[in-house]
């Protein structure tokens, strides 16, 4: 009986593809590192220290932090239930519901700003302005409204991805033992989704902190009141204040790196990004 011995493929065969992919990935990372480093080199160490020590920098920084935090809190109120509904329930017009939720993600934030300009002159915003003297527009309330509108849909999608990673069998077991849907959600689903939810919260917060296009149309510029850091970069760029532009871009990059690193550490295997 003849046996045919299959020759082993050369050891080098197929190695070029992983090497090419890794090389291209390293080149893209190198491009971003050089881009950030060039900003720092342009600014210089002494100017970096100067701009970072100015109250104007930290006023804008804390304005960005607290408005993004408020916007995140509002987004969670809607995003968690919406994400859970998309992940677990079947209801009429579900695809239409999902499409409408996705609109703020796929359209330009500038479009969101233009639509907000129209809706805030109608009910219930006009009633709020008239009876409570609380105008929502070219002020910090307008900043929060733009951030919330842009990030709420983003939050819902991330929450859906988080809940999708939890097997429904755990909820079925909980309900079979007599727990209600409400109790099952808070006692079973939320604890299991904790890391994914926290990681998603960080991403949503970072997205709110990065918003500026909608602010440009809907809110406008008001020194120390509406100029969160990305918007302030745009305004200072137009004003030729390149020292402020370079220093604030460095702060924004450091904020983004910190947020993404925290998301990956906290999210672990439940990372949704």
């Amino acid at each position: 009986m003849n046996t045919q011995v299959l020759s082993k493929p050369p050891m080098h065969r197929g190695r070029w593809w992983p090497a090419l992919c890794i090389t291209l990935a390293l080149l893209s990372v190198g491009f971003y590192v050089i881009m950030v480093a060039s900003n720092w080199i342009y600014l210089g160490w002494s100017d970096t220290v100067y701009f970072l020590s100015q109250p104007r920098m930290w006023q804008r920084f804390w304005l960005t932090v607290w408005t993004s935090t408020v916007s995140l809190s509002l987004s969670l109120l809607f995003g968690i239930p919406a994400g859970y509904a998309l992940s677990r329930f079947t209801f009429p017009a579900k695809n239409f519901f999902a499409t409408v939720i996705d609109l703020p993600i796929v359209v330009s934030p500038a479009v969101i700003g233009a639509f907000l300009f129209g809706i805030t002159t109608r009910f219930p915003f006009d009633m709020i302005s008239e009876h409570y003297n609380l105008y929502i527009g070219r002020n910090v309330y307008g900043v929060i409204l733009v951030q919330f509108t842009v990030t709420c849909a983003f939050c819902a999608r991330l929450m859906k991805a988080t809940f999708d990673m939890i097997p429904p069998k755990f909820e079925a077991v909980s309900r079979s033992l007599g727990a209600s849907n409400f109790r099952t959600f808070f006692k079973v689903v939320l604890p299991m989704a904790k890391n994914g939810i926290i990681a998603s919260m960080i991403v949503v917060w970072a997205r709110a902190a990065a918003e500026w296009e909608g602010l440009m149309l809907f809110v406008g510029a008001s020194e120390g009141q509406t100029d969160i850091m990305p918007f302030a970069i745009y305004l200072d760029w137009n004003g030729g204040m390149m020292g402020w532009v370079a220093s604030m871009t460095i702060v924004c990059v450091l904020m983004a790196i910190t947020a993404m690193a925290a998301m990956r550490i906290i999210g672990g295997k439940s990372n949704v990004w």
Side-chain angles (χ1 to χ4, degrees):
M1 181 176 177
N2 294 328
T3 59
Q4 186 176 6
V5 180
L6 297 177
S7 59
K8 294 183 178 180
M11 294 296 293
H12 64 275
R13 181 180 297 178
R15 289 184 177 180
W16 67 271
W17 176 243
L20 176 62
C21 292
I22 294 172
T23 300
L24 292 175
L26 291 175
L27 286 175
S28 63
V29 171
F31 170 75
Y32 288 116
V33 170
I34 292 173
M35 185 172 61
V36 174
S38 63
N39 240 24
W40 215 318
I41 293 171
Y42 166 81
L43 190 61
W45 174 252
S46 59
D47 283 346
T48 300
V49 174
Y50 169 77
F51 284 110
L52 291 181
S53 64
Q54 296 301 303
R56 185 172 183 256
M57 172 70 74
W58 296 106
Q59 182 183 37
R60 290 174 167 186
F61 173 80
W62 289 115
L63 179 65
T64 305
V65 169
W66 83 260
T67 55
S68 301
T69 303
V70 173
S71 303
L72 167 65
S73 301
L74 295 174
S75 295
L76 289 175
L77 291 177
F78 296 90
I80 290 179
Y84 188 68
L86 289 172
S87 176
R88 289 293 192 266
F89 303 142
T90 300
F91 49 89
K94 181 178 179 179
N95 289 335
F96 175 76
F97 177 76
T99 301
V100 172
I101 281 185
D102 288 341
L103 281 178
I105 299 175
V106 296
V107 302
S108 169
V111 175
I112 301 298
F115 277 115
L116 286 176
F117 184 79
I119 196 174
T120 49
T121 61
R122 301 292 184 267
F123 179 83
F125 294 99
D126 57 346
M127 185 186 69
I128 294 174
S129 300
E130 181 179 352
H131 293 282
Y132 299 99
N133 197 27
L134 182 62
Y135 174 70
I136 300 176
R138 297 184 178 276
N139 50 28
V140 71
Y141 302 113
V143 173
I144 294 172
L145 179 60
V146 172
Q147 291 176 329
F148 165 75
T149 306
V150 171
T151 58
C152 185
F154 198 53
C155 180
R157 273 299 170 186
L158 289 176
M159 294 303 165
K160 178 185 181 302
T162 299
F163 294 131
D164 283 345
M165 290 186 289
I166 300 175
K169 63 181 180 181
F170 295 106
E171 297 162 75
V173 170
S174 175
R175 288 191 293 267
S176 69
L177 296 175
S180 64
N181 289 334
F182 183 81
R183 184 177 178 82
T184 296
F185 178 73
F186 281 94
K187 295 295 184 180
V188 177
V189 178
L190 286 185
M192 295 183 67
K194 179 183 67 175
N195 287 350
I197 290 175
I198 295 175
S200 299
M201 287 170 58
I202 296 172
V203 176
V204 173
W205 183 91
R207 178 64 188 86
E211 176 56 32
W212 72 274
E213 291 179 65
L215 299 178
M216 181 177 62
L217 267 70
F218 178 65
V219 177
S222 180
E223 180 75 22
Q225 296 183 30
T226 64
D227 53 341
I228 66 172
M229 296 200 74
F231 193 23
I233 291 173
Y234 169 76
L235 297 174
D236 287 348
W237 177 281
N238 287 336
M241 302 165 64
M242 299 309 296
W244 281 107
V245 170
S247 59
M248 283 190 291
T249 55
I250 292 172
V251 174
C252 287
V253 168
L254 292 176
M255 289 171 61
I257 291 174
T258 303
M260 297 304 290
M263 180 206 68
R264 296 186 184 281
I265 294 172
I266 295 172
K269 293 183 178 180
S270 61
N271 197 347
V272 296
W273 194 264

